[in-house]
């Protein structure tokens, strides 16, 4: 990033605005000719090619509630607080098509006690991704998902959404001493709760002790007798409770039986949303009739139609880099051709 900024600041023909949010598009029919920039004392019209790279609508409680549903207006925000969906709505108002899973988002297990809006320095320090080695229960002490469905990089982005559906959007990841050493380094920012018995742990985390003890006992009874010898923490080991439990644990199903027991509180942290503007393979924004809107491109999470229900780790970065390059080259080419004309 520093290298990119060095290039921008050395260039004599690139103007950089700070504290200057884009507030609207300048549109003539279907053609976009620039943007309106909102400053403290005036609105400035900037003419040129427009590439929207302003993320999804995850920072807007209003749009989260509208599209994602009940309770999503209250979740913690992992990403930047400036991705409010403003330009997505402005583009749609100008005729751009909308596409994708508007009811879906990248939502991860997030430290229960973290701030609702994180600073950039803390944005990736509050994740709680070692849940495949845990038994995860809700505020009632009951399991609600398959913690070992797959490796965390293929399930973490939908796990936050599962937590939102639980009472008070709270979960607890319960570990014993057989797996506590496997927790990723980000857990060092958390406040673990420890106890010598499950009942004592339940009291400390505010969960019904009878219910939690029954949950752990039922889970332990469903684990295979050779679980410890077959356990392989870094691959899909097939150590499963299936078909013993209504909600199975498909991999890494070790019994929780070696005290002291440790619990970490988690809630949902939203990173970005899936629904957005309709684009083609050249990152050009398409109108409601499927025709490209001249002068307008969309890249990154403001472009919809790429993800639905789940998300493979790192693919959003790839999407942004690939289509950012495509859009940048196309916009520069159109600007050059326009200047010749």
């Amino acid at each position: 990033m520093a290298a990119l900024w060095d290039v921008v600041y050395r260039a004599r023909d690139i103007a950089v605005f700070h504290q200057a949010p884009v507030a609207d598009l300048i549109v003539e029919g279907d053609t976009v000719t620039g943007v309106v920039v909102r400053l403290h004392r005036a609105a400035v019209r900037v003419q040129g090619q427009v590439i929207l790279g302003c993320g999804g609508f995850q920072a807007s409680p209003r749009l989260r509630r509208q599209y994602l549903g009940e309770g999503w207006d209250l979740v913690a925000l992992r990403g930047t607080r400036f991705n409010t969906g403003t330009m997505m709505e402005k583009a749609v108002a100008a005729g751009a098509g909308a596409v994708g899973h508007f009811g879906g988002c990248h939502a991860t297990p997030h430290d229960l006690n973290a701030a609702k809006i994180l600073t950039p320095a803390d944005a990736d320090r509050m994740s709680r991704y070692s849940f495949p080695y845990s038994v995860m229960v809700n505020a009632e002490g009951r399991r609600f998902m398959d913690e070992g469905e797959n490796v965390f990089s293929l399930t973490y982005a939908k796990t936050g959404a599962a937590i939102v559906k639980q009472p008070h959007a709270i979960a607890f990841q319960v570990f014993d001493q057989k797996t506590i050493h496997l927790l990723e380094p980000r857990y060092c920012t958390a406040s673990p709760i420890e106890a010598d018995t499950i009942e004592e742990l339940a009291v400390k985390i505010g969960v019904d002790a009878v219910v939690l003890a029954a949950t752990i006992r039922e889970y332990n009874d469903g684990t295979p007798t050779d679980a410890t010898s077959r356990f392989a923490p870094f691959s899909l080991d097939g150590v499963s409770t299936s078909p013993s439990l209504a909600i199975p644990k498909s991999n890494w199903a070790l019994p929780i039986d070696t005290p002291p027991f440790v619990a970490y509180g988690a809630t949902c942290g939203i990173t970005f949303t899936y629904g957005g503007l309709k684009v083609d393979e050249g990152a050009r924004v398409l109108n409601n009739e499927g025709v490209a809107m001249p002068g307008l491109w969309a890249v990154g999470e403001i472009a919809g139609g790429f993800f639905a229900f789940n998300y493979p780790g790192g693919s959003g970065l790839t999407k942004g880099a690939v289509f950012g390059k495509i859009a940048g080259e196309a916009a520069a080419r159109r600007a050059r051709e326009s200047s010749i004309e």
Side-chain angles (χ1 to χ4, degrees):
M1 182 61 72
L4 292 175
W5 276 114
D6 286 344
V7 172
V8 169
Y9 282 123
R10 284 201 304 270
R12 297 183 178 181
D13 58 346
I14 298 178
V16 178
F17 293 79
H18 294 280
Q19 296 183 346
V22 173
D24 206 349
L25 296 170
I26 303 173
V27 184
E28 297 177 2
D30 263 346
T31 300
V32 175
T33 62
V35 295
V36 177
V37 178
R38 176 167 55 83
L39 303 178
H40 287 306
R41 297 181 180 275
V44 178
R45 295 169 68 88
V46 180
Q47 300 290 335
Q49 315 306 311
V50 178
I51 302 174
L52 297 177
C54 38
F57 54 85
Q58 69 274 5
S60 169
R62 174 179 62 85
L63 292 181
R64 291 200 308 264
R65 177 64 181 81
Q66 177 179 336
Y67 289 117
L68 301 180
E70 182 68 36
W72 282 97
D73 47 335
L74 302 176
V75 300
L77 179 64
R78 296 182 72 240
T80 171
R81 66 185 187 279
F82 300 115
N83 287 355
T84 59
T86 297
M87 294 312 297
M88 179 190 74
E89 292 191 295
K90 294 294 185 181
V92 169
V99 70
H101 186 196
F102 272 83
C105 62
H106 181 295
T108 73
H110 182 84
D111 188 83
L112 180 60
N113 299 312
K116 282 293 185 181
I117 299 177
L118 297 179
T119 65
D122 287 332
D124 195 42
R125 300 175 67 234
M126 298 300 168
S127 304
R128 301 293 173 251
Y129 291 164
S130 295
F131 59 89
Y133 307 127
S134 78
V135 164
M136 191 151 58
V137 300
N138 60 22
E140 296 175 344
R142 296 180 171 88
R143 291 179 64 240
F144 57 90
M145 63 171 287
D146 182 349
E147 304 94 337
E149 175 187 351
N150 210 318
V151 295
F152 88 91
S153 60
L154 297 180
T155 61
Y156 78 106
K158 68 177 185 179
T159 299
I163 295 174
V164 166
K165 298 176 183 177
Q166 303 310 306
H168 312 297
I170 289 174
F172 294 96
Q173 299 172 4
V174 180
F175 303 88
D176 73 359
Q177 294 304 301
K178 294 192 300 300
T179 58
I180 199 71
H181 65 285
L182 296 171
L183 270 59
E184 63 168 353
R186 280 176 281 205
Y187 278 73
C188 71
T189 64
S191 300
I193 301 168
E194 186 174 313
D196 290 327
T197 68
I198 292 297
E199 290 82 0
E200 181 186 355
L201 185 70
V203 172
K204 288 186 175 182
I205 63 177
V207 170
D208 187 296
V210 174
V211 174
L212 182 59
T215 296
I216 299 299
R217 183 168 55 253
E218 180 185 28
Y219 165 79
N220 287 346
D221 289 345
T223 60
T225 56
D226 60 350
T228 301
S229 62
R230 291 168 49 204
F231 178 70
F234 305 119
S235 62
L236 297 176
D237 61 9
V239 178
S240 171
T241 63
S242 183
S244 301
L245 303 180
I247 302 175
K249 185 173 183 181
S250 299
N251 294 278
W252 310 295
L254 288 177
I256 303 292
D257 60 3
T258 308
F261 305 102
V262 181
Y264 288 86
T267 186
C268 173
I270 187 170
T271 316
F272 59 83
T273 46
Y274 293 162
L277 302 179
K278 185 183 295 185
V279 299
D280 64 10
E281 67 275 7
R284 300 180 301 174
V285 174
L286 306 179
N287 65 15
N288 281 309
E289 295 72 47
V291 179
M293 300 178 68
L296 184 63
W297 294 261
V299 300
E301 308 315 338
I302 194 173
F306 286 81
F307 308 116
F309 299 104
N310 200 10
Y311 165 90
S315 56
L317 298 173
T318 304
K319 167 192 171 187
V322 170
F323 285 95
K325 184 176 188 295
I326 291 171
E329 291 176 345
R333 186 164 53 249
R334 189 172 190 272
R336 185 164 53 246
E337 292 168 355
S338 298
S339 65
I340 294 174
E341 294 175 0

